[in-house]
Amino acid sequence: MSCPLSSSEVRSTLTSLESHFTTDDFIAACPNSGGTRLGSSCAAVASSGSRVVCGRGVSGFARAYPNLLNKVAIGPPARWEQVGQMPATPEQPAPRQPPRPSTKSDWATQEQSRQVHWKEATAGISARGLHNGQAVDYLLPREDWALNLVPEHRSAILAHLESAGIVIHEFAHHVRSSQVFALNLAAPFFAHPDLLRPILTALLPPTVAVARVDKVEAEVVDPQNRFHEPGDRGTKRTSSDLGIWWTDTAGRRCLLLVEVKYTEAEFGSCKKGHDHGGTCDTDGRRVLASDGALCPLSAPPHGRTYWKWMRQLRIFRDDVLATSEGCPFRHDGYQLMRNQLLAAVLEQDPDVDRVDFAVMLHDDNRAVRALNVPLAGSTDAIQAWRGVLRDPSRFHELSPRRWLEVASREPALAVWATAMLDRYFGEVAQPEEPGNDALKSGHWSAARWLDSPTFAQVKAAYDEACGPGAVYFRVVDGVLNAIALHPNAPGYVGHRTSHEDKGYVLRPGMAAPPLDNLRQRHAAFEAWLPTVGRVSAEEQAIIPWLSRALRNQLWLPELGPGWAFLNQEWRFIGDDGKGRKSDVLAVHLPTGQLGIVEAKSSVNQLGEAEAQVRDYQRFWQRDQHELAPFFTSVLRTMGRLYGNQGAAAASVVAGPAALFVAAPGTNGMRVRRV
């Protein structure tokens, strides 16, 4: 008999081990072994009487899932060794791509600790659930799983689940249950769907005009089961975590399917490829040409119709999919494909005019965004998925943090939203890694204030008193700095009246200054400027460029079409741990690519600028999975503040940055792409 462990049990066991472990270590931690190779609780050992079945189970799993050990590693990639009287086993295949440092275990482990604290200290629940007969603090008693739901909306959620016949996940009593996370995010809207309208308006692109939200449901499936799947609503079927029915301003009936991820390290993958002898795992062009004939799910006894509907609806780009090593949906793209295809199939029904698909990934979960196997030439899940779609405008990324922050401004939702932010987005959930200060928790708090109605009033006051584009509000650790973009400024200076004046430091929550006071302050600032001794020709050249961008909806046409301003003087962390100030960050809105600009005072220094910007590229690629969600938040806020609707809906994606060098010319900045 083969090893009876499920994928989730193996993953849980591996995560509990050190990064370098032996088969004996695995056996000792295995929930089925009883701690020894002859443990009577192991079904495989009991059946065969063999002393080596468990070792074969480990090696077989390693061969079947060569990337899993790297995916769950704590620190360096996990490795295992056969020890003792074990038979020789084939060498583990090399991963399809170089292993990357994983942050999954660190963040997920800390998030679990924080949720246990919520369970015991905030919710006051001391009871523990059982795992393999042992009481553990991260589980509620199975029968009390509903205590995981937000209290004020618990009855409404339970009523919805019962009326819709939705099956609860096996681990809904886990403090890190993704299903519970999704239900809690939707909690107020099951009974009052139109309360969701301002949130959807804020999170979706401006081309998606929401007039009314009609209904919100959990675990949405195809009622006709056109994929020929087993199971029920919420289990084994293709079920989107949330479904939002809404009406647009033209009266069209629309549906948004939402897949929610909490602490998962990956999107679901297809497990049948290994059982099928690997024929669907090599030569993607051949797999596509077979129209599903090489797909083990298409054959009996499964009889799935995914490929039939893919051929009929043609929502994917075959030219991009054909570049995959094997079936493009064999790995992390499997669950994404099923949900996107579900949206396309449901759109065929007469009672709906448009169906879109969105993913809602916990903002601090970087691991789930990183694909095990590249898709469309990218290992960033969002960028890759947009790349495989014929119409990427029908796919969206929603931020649950932003979802709750917008909700917190609505009186009817404020108490629920604040409690949810405290539970799922407390500061502990954003650990600062030793030796890497790429992003501090204060950056997030400053960015949240930048996106608040209070700050919008502050900006409006500065615009009226000083003129549009006269001041740039730079996000730093915990505060915003008001940087003057005055034509007479000798370089970057704060909007202040003296060297001792700290009034350019704007702290979260401050009220908008009275206009008369701000006008007087601006006059005093202009009187102080001639006394500033520090002069920078480079900064003097950039100041009017940025001021013009702020007055022109963030556009930076010198970089090319579609480029919008993101940040001035972002500090990347160098190899020595010290901050290195880049001059300008921009984003290419159609693709989400980051742009890094290094400017000099003359064209003779552009060689030096090239060397600097290549260093910034390295720092960005090292920290991109931490920085990209933050830059996305800032970009969208800047888009709303400065009237750029494209920026308000765009995302900054992980991947190589576009590099630019610049120097002043006769007609403004002259920019060259490196």
Side-chain angles (χ1 to χ4, degrees), residues 54-72:
C54 189
R56 286 176 177 164
V58 179
S59 62
F61 195 92
R63 289 195 302 274
Y65 301 96
N67 292 303
L68 181 60
L69 298 180
N70 293 330
K71 189 87 174 179
V72 303

Side-chain angles (χ1 to χ4, degrees), residues 379-428:
T379 56
D380 178 88
I382 306 304
Q383 181 180 17
W385 199 245
R386 288 196 176 106
V388 304
L389 296 175
R390 291 181 181 273
D391 184 2
S393 69
R394 307 298 293 277
F395 170 67
H396 313 281
E397 180 188 8
L398 307 180
S399 159
R401 186 199 300 270
R402 172 85 178 137
W403 174 286
L404 295 169
E405 288 172 343
V406 176
S408 68
R409 304 170 190 167
E410 302 294 324
L413 300 172
V415 173
W416 159 78
T418 301
M420 285 285 290
L421 283 167
D422 288 343
R423 176 175 174 180
Y424 289 108
F425 292 96
E427 297 299 346
V428 180

Side-chain angles (χ1 to χ4, degrees), residues 459-482:
K459 176 184 176 296
Y462 271 88
D463 285 348
E464 185 168 347
C466 310
V471 175
Y472 163 61
F473 303 98
R474 181 200 293 161
V475 176
V476 292
D477 185 10
V479 299
L480 301 177
N481 286 341

Side-chain angles (χ1 to χ4, degrees), residues 196-228:
L196 187 56
R197 180 168 47 85
I199 301 173
L200 283 188
T201 300
L203 270 65
L204 291 173
T207 53
V208 182
V210 182
R212 182 181 69 251
V213 177
D214 304 299
K215 182 172 61 173
V216 176
E217 290 194 349
E219 302 292 350
V220 177
V221 298
D222 174 18
Q224 301 180 43
N225 195 13
R226 280 166 279 198
F227 296 154
H228 294 174

Side-chain angles (χ1 to χ4, degrees), residues 533-562:
R534 176 182 173 276
V535 177
S536 170
E538 171 189 321
E539 293 172 6
Q540 284 178 322
I542 298 176
I543 284 172
W545 189 37
L546 297 188
S547 179
R548 186 168 62 252
L550 297 184
R551 296 193 308 271
N552 190 32
Q553 300 179 317
L554 304 179
W555 294 118
L556 293 173
E558 292 83 355
L559 302 186

Side-chain angles (χ1 to χ4, degrees), residues 441-470:
S441 59
H443 285 102
W444 277 109
S445 62
R448 287 195 290 271
W449 186 51
L450 185 76
D451 194 28
S452 69
T454 304
F455 178 74
Q457 296 171 1
V458 173
K459 176 184 176 296
Y462 271 88
D463 285 348
E464 185 168 347
C466 310

Side-chain angles (χ1 to χ4, degrees), residues 660-673:
F660 302 89
V661 293
T666 54
N667 295 313
M669 293 296 291
R670 297 174 57 189
V671 182
R672 174 169 60 83
R673 188 159 180 169

Side-chain angles (χ1 to χ4, degrees), residues 89-137:
T89 57
E91 184 177 351
Q92 179 183 346
R96 291 177 174 272
Q97 60 188 37
R100 62 181 183 279
S102 172
T103 59
K104 178 264 177 185
S105 296
D106 289 341
W107 176 75
T109 300
Q110 294 196 34
E111 183 67 4
Q112 178 163 295
S113 297
R114 197 164 63 76
Q115 290 302 323
V116 168
H117 178 77
W118 165 84
K119 166 182 167 280
E120 297 177 346
T122 304
I125 304 169
S126 58
R128 298 185 173 191
L130 298 179
H131 181 67
N132 294 322
Q134 180 180 358
V136 292
D137 57 4

